[in-house]
Amino acid sequence: IAISGRAGAQRLRGQARIDSLTMQLSKATADTHKIFLMSQISFEYGNRNPELGIKFGTEALELAKKISWQRGIGNSLYYRGANYLYTGRYPEALEDYLGALRYFEQWGDSNKLAGTYSNIGGVYSYQGKDDVALEYFLKALKINRSMSPGSNFEAANLGNISIIYFNRNDYKKALEFRLQALNICLKSDFMDMLPNAMVGTSAIYMELMQYPQAINYARKALELARQTNEVGVLGNCYLNLGVTYI
């Protein structure tokens, strides 16, 4: 399940961006600027050191509450929620996302609404509540198609919906959404998403016993995963190919 975050490309990534934001934070004087920077640092730590992400998110939230800055409260909850999700603390993640959702609904912030709906769907999916998860993924997808058709966010939510149907053993419906996601990735050259999209397509074709297509997509995913050294995707590719050839 994909986790949504900040929209827009960044020049700096990973630790380099964290270092840059931390330097800016050390020089910040306005409370609103500090809250903004701490929230961004919180998000950047998500898949690197989520405990630190929670720390910065909490500090941002406390300061936002202290000065009664509503936008800061909403954003702090949103980014801290992602860190709770990364650590598997689903009740805390859901509480933060639902809290943030109230603010984004008030402001009509469509991009943040879509991201929050998607992430709430992710929480429910990880908890095994696929029916509720699907409702939220579809809400997110509706906004994606309205505000940013053909975006990586739309592709991610199509993939999320495909996973839900796959878990339900509804492979035809899973394939329908997976191919839509794959088409967006290919059309827009989302290379970071292609290996997972390919191996997911292979898995569905395997369940449908359409083995030539399953092998074709597994091989394509394998080639891409080798280029990017995505160990998880590589493992799934070898598994799919092995099962197909049995």
Side-chain angles (χ1 to χ4, degrees):
I1 298 294
I3 300 175
S4 295
R6 184 185 54 254
Q10 301 294 325
R11 291 184 178 180
L12 295 177
R13 295 180 180 276
Q15 190 60 49
R17 178 161 170 76
I18 291 172
D19 292 342
S20 174
L21 291 167
T22 303
M23 178 64 71
Q24 293 177 60
L25 179 61
S26 68
K27 299 176 181 179
T29 55
D31 284 340
T32 53
H33 192 206
K34 290 178 182 178
I35 294 164
F36 169 79
L37 291 168
M38 285 190 288
S39 295
Q40 293 297 300
I41 294 170
S42 173
F43 174 76
E44 292 296 334
Y45 270 124
N47 59 359
R48 300 174 64 85
N49 189 335
E51 292 300 334
L52 272 178
I54 292 169
K55 173 181 177 294
F56 276 97
T58 300
E59 290 176 3
L61 180 61
E62 289 175 350
L63 182 55
K65 287 181 175 179
K66 182 179 178 181
I67 65 172
S68 300
W69 188 33
Q70 303 301 301
R71 189 167 294 276
I73 294 172
N75 287 333
S76 300
L77 288 167
Y78 178 74
Y79 291 125
R80 189 178 70 172
N83 286 278
Y84 280 132
L85 183 52
Y86 276 117
T87 60
R89 291 151 75 175
Y90 302 131
E92 291 90 341
L94 187 59
E95 182 179 355
D96 274 4
Y97 282 137
L98 290 173
L101 191 63
R102 290 193 290 272
Y103 291 98
F104 301 149
E105 286 174 339
Q106 289 175 15
W107 309 327
D109 189 332
S110 296
N111 287 328
K112 283 285 179 63
L113 270 175
T116 308
Y117 285 144
S118 181
N119 292 345
I120 291 173
V123 175
Y124 280 122
S125 179
Y126 287 127
Q127 290 180 320
K129 300 176 181 178
D130 281 353
D131 289 345
V132 186
L134 181 59
E135 291 178 16
Y136 279 97
F137 287 144
L138 288 170
K139 286 182 179 181
L141 181 63
K142 183 178 180 179
I143 296 175
N144 296 150
R145 285 178 163 169
S146 172
M147 301 297 297
S148 53
S151 67
N152 57 333
F153 298 114
E154 181 182 358
N157 276 307
L158 286 165
N160 290 339
I161 293 167
S162 176
I163 291 171
I164 296 295
Y165 282 115
F166 186 90
N167 292 340
R168 290 178 171 180
N169 301 325
D170 188 345
Y171 302 121
K172 289 185 178 180
K173 202 74 174 175
L175 183 62
E176 175 189 333
F177 283 95
R178 179 60 71 182
L179 289 177
Q180 290 180 54
L182 182 58
N183 183 57
I184 291 174
C185 291
L186 289 168
K187 186 176 180 179
S188 300
D189 202 25
F190 294 142
M191 295 303 296
D192 58 330
M193 302 178 73
L194 265 176
N196 270 311
M198 292 281 191
V199 78
T201 306
S202 170
I204 298 168
Y205 275 124
M206 187 171 63
E207 294 295 339
L208 290 169
M209 294 186 289
Q210 298 182 29
Y211 299 121
Q213 294 94 324
I215 292 170
N216 179 43
Y217 281 104
R219 284 176 173 169
K220 289 180 179 179
L222 185 61
E223 182 179 348
L224 290 169
R226 281 173 174 165
Q227 295 173 14
T228 55
N229 196 32
E230 294 190 48
V231 178
V233 177
L234 283 169
N236 287 332
C237 290
Y238 288 126
L239 177 62
N240 288 359
L241 286 169
V243 171
T244 304
Y245 281 120
I246 291 176

